[in-house]
Amino acid sequence: MYYQIAQEEGLPDREVYSIIEDRSGLIWLATNSGLYSYDGKKFVLYKHPEQRKTAVFSPQIDAKGRLWFCNLNGQFFYIENKEITLFGDFRNLTKDVVVNFSIIDNFLFISTNQSIVRVHIATKEKKEFLYKERRPGISKVIKIEQDYFITDGEKLHLINELSNITFSKKKGIIGSTKAEKCGDKIITHFYSGNTNEFFLFQEEKEIVLNGVEKVKDLSILNIEYRGNRVWILTSDGAFEYIMQHNKLCFQNKYLRGYSVSSLLIDSKNNIWFSTLSSGVFVIPDTRIKKINRIHTTNSITNFKAINDSIIFYVEGRKFFTKNNLNKANLYSEEVKRLHTQNMFYDAYLNRFYFFNGIEAFIYDKNKLLPYSKADNWGSKNVIRINENTVWVSFYNKLLAYNTKTFEKVSFIKGRCNKLLLNKESEYAYVDFYQGLKAGKNIQDLNFVLYNKQRIFGRALTEQPKSEFVWVAFENKVLCLKGTTVINTIIIDKKYTVLSLSSDINKLWIGTNKGILRYNYTNKKLSVLNRFNQVFKPNIKQIETTENYTYAVTDSDIFRFSNTYTNYNVLPDKPYFKVTKEKKRSYKKSEVFEIESNDKSIDVEFMINGFKSLENHQLEYRIDQNHWRKIKNNNLTLSSLSYGNTELQVRALNFKGEVSEVNSLPIFVHKPFYLQWWFITLLVIAIIIAIVFFVKFLLKKQEEKKDKEMYQIEIKRQITNLKLENLRSQMNPHFIFNALNSIQEYIYSNDKKQASSYLVKFSRLIRMYLDHSRVSEITLQKEIDALFLYLALENSRMGGKLTYKIEVENSLKTNAILVPSLFIQPYIENAIKHGLLHKRGEKKLSINFYQSKTNLYCEVTDNGIGRESSRNMKRGKMHSSFSTKANTDRVKLMNIEKMIEMRVEVQDLKNKNNEAIGTKVQIVLPVKKI
């Protein structure tokens, strides 16, 4: 089973001359279009700017891990740390032909058709060893112990102490120049006439190698020695031999029909073949054989392995048998729906039965014939109980047949499918839809219970030469003895068990993700890691014979030895590819720097080699924290801490073995506001700000204190003004007039009027005293006081005053506050200075109304006017407490409460510009309770 890597899979060139693996597990390919590296996922071209030709040849690894290669123009290059260097240009020696070269010790040996050139790698000192005559072709230099050897088209030559070239005493054979070091020996190939011959040289002894008949007439492209195996690469594939007693013993042939140019067995035991026209082929495991099928378009529906060499299988509507796994015989071309039901092998009669739901067939003595005697053509499964009896499962019943008389012995109802007989215990197991039953007689079957629950078996198998039966149930495989569960294997939930089979030593478990194996001796469950990871099979059927295990998928049949074990390959060290603006691989000595405005990076994790990522579980951790699994081999690191951070990654193989840890130091730059210089400046700025802030607070406290003192002073002045208003309202003249009025009523013996006037006067005085204790009263209380005051003034004026107080209907007088002792002085002023000296009708109108934000009070009289009043007061010593006090009070209240109160006085005149009265408008902001 091999994988082809060609141009369709990303290989840049199908003409590949050589393939090699470096110490890191990276694969290198020398092709017609250049040198490429392959990490198992991507190809990368390496080309020097001074490189003249694209085709490169003979990549080799020196003792320092550097990769050397050359081209047709005599240029020699090496790659170190993924940087390509031109070592030297020897075009004058190579003459634009392909030459062989070797890196031995600290020297570069170039084999030309005229000489051997030795170049010191450190000093580039050159020394040339000439032949006595021109040679048709020279092999690479091979060192064994202290001697250096080459071959040409005729002889094997010894270069003694690198001083001269002498000829060996071997018989000269004209031909090719293939030579390969084989331990302390040299194996060479010569082409003589029309045949290939191979020789082994050791201590001046020449041994002819036999057993190479399969390659005698082929074109030999290369010879490779790996372990104890010799690989002869030809124009018709690669031939694998084992050297035993100086004889080449043929083992396998690979890639028939391909011109194989080189071979690589990598560090993970994958075998790589490069070809001259078809790219690269990889064999992950030569121990796993894929059985060739005639038709590959149909799915395999049934399979049976009789022994190590004979198998039967059904695909589509055709039945095949393979003997010795070479040729396939085809039967039943015309059989319809052969794959839809069941194939049963009767080992007792050595015949096959086929049931397809329509008809039955038997395969006996290499013939496929209709089986008309049976009426069990609709069966799902068949088992032989003994020499005379078989059990047959149907969709609605289980029948027992006598195979000689074809009579029904007994039956029970119930839909059933899988059947199994344990030959040692003679227990039969029947997978009913209601659960698994077991018993020795069809009428005595009992349910098999696990933790008091019925078992529904997905797959059944018996353990050879024992009374044990294994059944797949949920994520477990149970071991039964009779109807008792005696052992349990817990299966990881990522696996779904599809089939079971057993040999003497092991239980083989086929799943949706490959094969598991349970060892009966050490009771350990293991994973066929290489098989599962490379082939990714969905094993729907698995069977074992004496020496082999067969794994069947929908499209393939695989075979491997029952002793198959996983390669003990330690996990490789993973590495990083950090994605920013471009991808780059990082080593341990490098630091990846991130700017402060982007604290996240995308990391891709890689392991070099063929499907290496699929064979490992990667884990990471940051700054020595817990290890975490990596999904899809990609990771996004975000919100990294500023400063130094270390990202670590490791790989685990299927055994849980851990690779060497690889680390990526990461440095996240701090933003400018976290830099020391910015912090220093910020601290200084904060100190300066604190000083200014403290000064500001102190200034504010002083201003607040001054404001408080100012407010206290304003309140004191307002209080004084209120007292002045109160004094104006309770001045001696008003009281004297009121008392005179009361006296007149008493003298006139008008007790009723005297009593009424006295009550009103006392109530008004009481109101004024109450109002003087507060700064604000309701508008209704102010109106009530005004009514009392006007009633007293009207009585004092002999009833000559006509007055009215109008309030807007929408005005809520009990919900609006006005300054106390504020409105009355303006009414008193209208009476005293406007109406008192007027002849005729004296009218006073007071009107209250409201806008959205203000309360309006208009006091209108038809008095003599302000100008006549001023003329009458000239020369009189009189001070109006009410006018002056209210004016000052308005100013102070506007300052204290940051509101706007205003008083506007308007002189009313007729058409002749004669005074007909005065109108005072008081505007107060609306303040509600």
Side-chain angles (χ1 to χ4, degrees), residues 285-303:
D285 197 333
T286 58
R287 301 170 300 170
I288 300 173
K289 305 296 181 183
K290 181 180 177 182
I291 297 175
N292 295 325
R293 295 166 51 202
I294 294 178
H295 302 284
T296 58
T297 56
N298 298 318
S299 297
I300 300 172
T301 55
N302 285 285
F303 175 88

Side-chain angles (χ1 to χ4, degrees), residues 734-759 761 792 795-796:
F734 171 73
I735 297 174
F736 177 77
N737 290 335
L739 292 176
N740 280 338
S741 298
I742 295 172
Q743 185 178 23
E744 288 178 4
Y745 290 135
I746 294 173
Y747 286 157
S748 61
N749 202 23
D750 193 349
K751 296 179 181 179
K752 185 176 181 181
Q753 281 291 92
S755 176
S756 174
Y757 195 94
L758 182 62
V759 170
F761 176 73
L792 291 175
S795 296
R796 188 174 65 83

Side-chain angles (χ1 to χ4, degrees), residues 28 35 46 48 60-62 64-70 75-88 101 103 108 121-122 124:
W28 297 86
L35 181 72
Y46 284 79
H48 194 274
Q60 301 176 36
I61 306 293
D62 67 9
K64 294 184 178 180
R66 295 176 294 189
L67 177 72
W68 292 75
F69 63 96
C70 66
Q75 292 178 305
F76 285 79
F77 307 88
Y78 67 83
I79 294 177
E80 186 174 20
N81 296 329
K82 297 190 177 180
E83 298 293 333
I84 184 169
T85 302
L86 174 60
F87 174 75
F101 75 92
I103 304 293
L108 165 65
I121 294 176
K124 295 190 179 180

Side-chain angles (χ1 to χ4, degrees), residues 827-883:
I827 297 173
E828 178 189 358
N829 196 53
I831 295 173
K832 183 176 180 181
H833 300 289
L835 297 174
L836 184 62
H837 303 288
K838 176 164 174 41
R839 296 179 181 178
E841 187 179 14
K842 302 176 181 180
K843 293 182 179 180
L844 179 65
S845 173
I846 304 170
N847 185 24
F848 291 94
Y849 60 93
Q850 180 185 355
S851 66
K852 290 184 178 180
T853 58
N854 293 321
L855 174 67
Y856 296 89
C857 175
E858 292 183 353
V859 180
T860 306
D861 65 74
N862 64 344
I864 62 176
R866 288 190 298 170
E867 185 176 355
S868 299
S869 177
R870 279 194 295 269
N871 293 331
M872 292 178 63
K873 291 189 290 182
R874 285 176 183 171
K876 295 183 180 180
M877 299 295 295
H878 180 75
S879 175
S880 177
F881 287 113
S882 58
T883 302

Side-chain angles (χ1 to χ4, degrees), residues 268-269 284-285 287-288 495 506 508 515-518 524-535 560-570 615 653-657:
K268 304 173 185 66
N269 293 312
D285 197 333
R287 301 170 300 170
I288 300 173
Y495 296 104
K506 294 172 287 296
W508 299 86
I515 299 176
L516 309 179
R517 180 177 55 196
Y518 180 75
K524 288 186 177 180
L525 181 69
S526 59
V527 180
L528 266 65
N529 187 65
R530 176 62 65 90
F531 181 83
N532 295 351
Q533 294 293 341
V534 174
F535 299 108
F560 48 87
S561 172
N562 289 342
T563 59
Y564 178 92
T565 57
N566 289 303
Y567 285 129
N568 188 21
V569 179
L570 294 177
N615 292 320
N653 62 13
F654 69 99
K655 289 184 177 180
E657 296 170 327

Side-chain angles (χ1 to χ4, degrees), residues 136-137 152-155 172-178 189-193 195:
D152 58 13
E154 298 180 355
K155 296 178 175 65
I173 303 175
I174 300 174
S176 69
T177 58
K178 302 297 183 296
H189 158 254
F190 297 100
Y191 181 71
S192 178
T195 186

